[in-house]
Amino acid sequence: MDVNSVHNDRRKNHDRLNNIISGSRWQLSSSSHWVALVGFAVLALIISCVGWWVYQHQTAQIRLDKQHELAAIASLKAQQISEWRREKLNDAEVLRDNPIFATQFYTWLQRGAPSDKIYYKFRSRLTSLLRAYDYHAVALLDAETNPLIRIGEKWILGEGTKKTARKALQTKQSLFADLSSQHTDLDDHTDYGHTDLDGHADHYHLDLTIPLLTSGQKQPVGLIIIRLEPEKFLFPLIENWPTPSKSAESVLLRATPTGVIRLSGRRHLSEGPSRQIKVPQDRMTPPMMVKKGLEGALEHLDYRNTPAFSYIKRVTDSPWYLVAKVDKAEMYAPINQLAWQISLLVLALVGAAGLTVYYWWRQINSSFLAAHYQSQFDKQLLEQRFHSVTKHANDIIILVGPEGRIVDVNYRAQEAFGYSHDELLKLDISTLRVPEDDETSLLHRQQLKEKGSLLFEAPFLRKDGSRFPAEVSARLIELDG
């Protein structure tokens, strides 16, 4: 049997091409699903990580901005209170350093403090002072802190104010007394003036003691006590918040030997009979920081057991501490809003990435299917051309299976052996060899398996029993696996 080696080589290359197209491309198609899925997962992870990083960065920035804002408000209020105190002390210095008034007062005292023209002159002067500065009350005292003239609301000096007055006489400096409370529903208008502010008070006051100095006396000859109403300026300054807020509040505190007292009101709690604050010992709170003399920011549970953020600032040149406080829920509300915005953005980006990957995979899959169908079409076309060539070739072409059974033949083989096409497909290739070449035929088959190709001469049998010699070019080929 003579086989055309060129045709076999072409068929082998064609089959390899088909294997590449139908094998590896199909594998690529099946793995493209996983490639698309992994790609989407990677993109989603990157987008989520970037979103988380942006959220963390913006959260830290918002926290820092809000804390700085609260610190600025506390510092501003503390500065305003300090300036208010300094302004009142400066006004007091004008009275303290007035030797004419002090000398007239000393001369009047030496005459027994009669109710004469000088007395009414002092009353007129104090009345003008009261009205000009909108004071609550003004009193003129001798060096023993005995009230001689009182203008405005009638009141009796409390022990706290007397103590401050004696200190002002010793130091020759104008001094503020502690905030104190007063009952105005009593007939005698008793002033309770306790430093702990206990008792149900109709209003609170702040006394400013001013020593009177003369040029000829080493010690002050008396005092002027000005009673201020904190409700008119100090408390509104403390309690008003510069920006709209549902939870923000500021409170004035002061440490005492026994604890901490609240000098101003609280926004979220009705006022009780006592302003003494119970200082927790198991955790850090603003009262604890005030008691320890500390300043700065603090996250804590407030008097409502609500998480809050506070900033504690000491008022310069005073024993007071300003506490500015905001609920954490309100303070960090922009963070929650930012979380929603970033979450929606991440979901939108992940969705966009998913659509992009889907359309990419769909395009790749469509391209693959188009290429696959084209390759199948080309394969069928090549097979048709190959069979057309081999069927009408001048050489005898026989296709034999692994077991030796004839699989296909061309027209020239049918003419040479005298069998029809169907008859040849029922035969074994050894049937066409002469009987005495059985061992040689087995040897040739073994050599073909080892070498892959073989060229030899051998006699063959026709259907009618006649013999004819032929040169055989045999080659192993692979078809469809």
Side-chain angles (χ1 to χ4, degrees):
M1 179 182 64
D2 187 10
V3 181
N4 192 317
S5 59
V6 176
H7 291 166
N8 287 338
D9 290 339
R10 290 175 60 188
R11 179 62 180 271
K12 186 174 183 179
N13 292 334
H14 174 70
D15 291 341
R16 288 177 179 174
L17 180 61
N18 285 336
N19 286 334
I20 293 175
I21 296 175
S22 61
S24 59
R25 286 300 297 271
W26 272 112
Q27 292 175 2
L28 177 61
S29 175
S30 62
S31 63
S32 64
H33 297 77
W34 292 104
V35 172
L37 184 60
V38 171
F40 170 72
V42 171
L43 285 176
L45 180 61
I46 293 175
I47 293 172
S48 300
C49 290
V50 172
W52 177 253
W53 179 84
V54 171
Y55 171 75
Q56 291 293 326
H57 177 73
Q58 292 297 321
T59 296
Q61 189 62 43
I62 290 175
R63 286 178 182 270
L64 189 62
D65 291 343
K66 290 296 183 180
Q67 292 172 9
H68 286 171
E69 178 182 337
L70 189 63
I73 292 174
S75 299
L76 177 62
K77 284 181 174 290
Q79 181 181 356
Q80 290 175 333
I81 295 172
S82 179
E83 291 176 352
W84 178 81
R85 287 173 58 93
R86 192 178 300 112
E87 178 185 347
K88 298 305 177 184
L89 288 174
N90 290 336
D91 294 340
E93 295 302 302
V94 176
L95 296 174
R96 189 197 68 170
D97 297 334
N98 188 343
I100 297 177
F101 182 86
T103 301
Q104 291 177 346
F105 178 69
Y106 178 73
T107 303
W108 181 67
L109 286 177
Q110 293 298 318
R111 293 190 295 110
S115 298
D116 54 6
K117 293 182 179 180
I118 300 299
Y119 169 79
Y120 288 105
K121 183 178 180 180
F122 287 153
R123 287 190 64 88
S124 176
R125 179 73 180 273
L126 295 179
T127 301
S128 299
L129 183 67
L130 178 76
R131 293 174 179 175
Y133 293 95
D134 195 22
Y135 295 143
H136 189 61
V138 181
L140 187 61
L141 289 74
D142 61 16
E144 301 298 327
T145 67
N146 297 313
L148 301 177
I149 300 176
R150 289 180 292 191
I151 305 298
E153 183 185 33
K154 294 181 180 180
W155 44 278
I156 298 176
L157 293 180
E159 288 301 323
T161 302
K162 287 183 178 180
K163 182 178 179 181
T164 304
R166 287 191 289 268
K167 186 176 180 181
L169 290 170
Q170 293 174 359
T171 61
K172 302 179 184 181
Q173 298 293 327
S174 300
L175 300 174
F176 277 104
D178 290 326
L179 278 169
S180 56
S181 60
Q182 176 166 336
H183 289 271
T184 58
D185 56 350
L186 299 178
D187 293 338
D188 61 353
H189 298 283
T190 303
D191 178 11
Y192 289 89
H194 298 303
T195 58
D196 58 1
L197 297 180
D198 284 341
H200 183 73
D202 292 313
H203 68 273
Y204 298 93
H205 56 259
L206 180 64
D207 293 339
L208 176 58
T209 60
I210 308 169
L212 298 176
L213 304 177
T214 64
S215 57
Q217 299 292 329
K218 294 182 178 180
Q219 295 296 327
V221 296
L223 300 102
I224 293 178
I225 295 182
I226 296 175
R227 173 154 289 187
L228 306 171
E229 285 187 291
E231 290 92 345
K232 288 186 177 181
F233 179 80
L234 182 60
F235 286 174
L237 174 63
I238 295 170
E239 296 168 0
N240 290 339
W241 200 258
T243 58
S245 174
K246 295 181 179 179
S247 66
E249 64 176 328
S250 50
V251 182
L252 199 63
L253 303 180
R254 184 175 67 81
T256 66
T258 59
V260 175
I261 60 173
R262 175 173 47 83
L263 304 180
S264 62
R266 290 179 290 196
R267 177 179 181 181
H268 305 290
L269 192 66
S270 59
E271 299 301 326
S274 174
R275 294 204 173 198
Q276 187 78 26
I277 296 177
K278 183 178 180 181
V279 181
Q281 301 298 322
D282 57 341
R283 66 182 185 275
M284 186 60 71
T285 59
M288 175 63 76
M289 292 185 65
V290 170
K291 187 173 180 59
K292 293 184 176 182
L294 301 177
E295 297 180 89
L298 178 67
E299 291 192 18
H300 62 100
L301 293 177
D302 67 1
Y303 53 86
R304 302 166 296 158
N305 285 327
T306 300
F309 187 89
S310 295
Y311 194 89
I312 298 89
K313 182 69 177 178
R314 182 171 184 174
V315 178
T316 306
D317 298 329
S318 79
W320 300 345
Y321 285 83
L322 192 286
V323 179
K325 179 181 71 67
V326 180
D327 288 355
K328 289 178 65 177
E330 178 184 347
M331 187 173 183
Y332 297 147
I335 295 178
N336 298 330
Q337 183 179 3
L338 177 66
W340 277 106
Q341 293 174 349
I342 291 180
S343 297
L344 293 176
L345 180 60
V346 167
L347 289 176
L349 291 177
V350 169
L355 288 176
T356 301
V357 171
Y358 169 74
Y359 282 115
W360 170 81
W361 171 82
R362 186 176 178 182
Q363 182 66 27
I364 292 295
N365 198 46
S366 299
S367 300
F368 163 76
L369 291 176
H372 172 69
Y373 293 143
Q374 184 64 40
S375 67
Q376 292 294 319
F377 176 77
D378 293 342
K379 179 180 177 181
Q380 293 177 0
L381 184 60
L382 287 174
E383 288 178 350
Q384 291 176 1
R385 291 178 179 176
F386 176 76
H387 286 298
S388 178
V389 171
T390 55
K391 286 293 184 182
H392 299 88
N394 243 357
D395 295 330
I396 299 173
I397 299 176
I398 301 176
L399 189 62
V400 181
E403 303 300 327
R405 193 167 190 82
I406 297 175
V407 177
D408 199 4
V409 296
N410 65 348
Y411 295 137
R412 185 70 183 87
Q414 298 176 38
E415 295 175 357
F417 287 100
Y419 292 98
S420 66
H421 182 269
D422 294 337
E423 289 176 335
L424 285 171
L425 296 185
K426 296 177 181 179
L427 299 179
D428 189 278
I429 189 61
S430 60
T431 308
L432 303 180
R433 299 288 295 270
V434 297
E436 56 269 24
D437 282 352
D438 288 344
E439 293 182 2
T440 304
S441 177
L442 292 175
L443 179 61
H444 288 162
R445 187 177 298 182
Q446 184 64 31
Q447 291 175 348
L448 179 61
K449 289 182 180 180
E450 295 173 358
K451 298 180 180 180
S453 63
L454 190 62
L455 182 64
F456 61 92
E457 293 183 357
F460 287 85
L461 284 175
R462 295 189 180 91
K463 183 177 180 180
D464 58 7
S466 61
R467 301 184 180 191
F468 67 93
E471 183 183 54
V472 179
S473 177
R475 182 179 296 273
L476 288 178
I477 60 174
E478 183 178 348
L479 294 177
D480 298 332

